[in-house]
Amino acid sequence: MSSPAHAIYSSTLSLSLQGHEFKPQYDVQLILNKTAQSLLLCSAACNQNPSCRIFDYDSSSHRCRLFEADLANGAIIAVASQTSIVGSVILSA
């Protein structure tokens, strides 16, 4: 029997409608603010970071933000930019 640290997990991504950003409850929940050339690369960066549960991506500025928060610790909010989208990573064993 393997330990939880060596268990196999799968992840599912859930995306919001365009025109939304994630607003964390606390600023410290922002793990990383980086540039990514696509939504797919931003979501992959979140998926590869064990602490990341939520990310948002703006396709016009290529801004990718990774958060350790989830929807219990923040909110998806509507913004003026229609190029911004929020994604969440759902892990299952």
Side-chain angles (χ1 to χ4, degrees):
M1 183 162 170
S2 63
S3 68
H6 296 97
I8 297 174
Y9 293 92
S10 67
S11 64
T12 304
L13 296 176
S14 175
L15 298 175
S16 73
L17 296 174
Q18 288 186 314
H20 292 84
E21 285 184 353
F22 184 71
K23 174 122 176 83
Q25 188 173 7
Y26 306 105
D27 290 338
V28 70
Q29 293 169 310
L30 176 65
I31 300 170
L32 184 63
N33 189 353
K34 64 178 273 169
T35 300
Q37 292 304 310
S38 70
L39 174 63
L40 184 61
L41 291 173
C42 183
S43 65
C46 183
N47 199 41
Q48 292 171 354
N49 186 315
S51 299
C52 185
R53 293 294 172 267
I54 298 270
F55 64 92
D56 63 18
Y57 178 72
D58 188 294
S59 59
S60 65
S61 66
H62 301 286
R63 183 193 69 188
C64 173
R65 298 188 304 167
L66 309 183
F67 300 92
E68 66 179 349
D70 57 25
L71 292 177
N73 307 88
I76 296 174
I77 59 168
V79 292
S81 170
Q82 289 300 306
T83 59
S84 185
I85 194 165
V86 177
S88 61
V89 176
I90 303 148
L91 296 177
S92 55

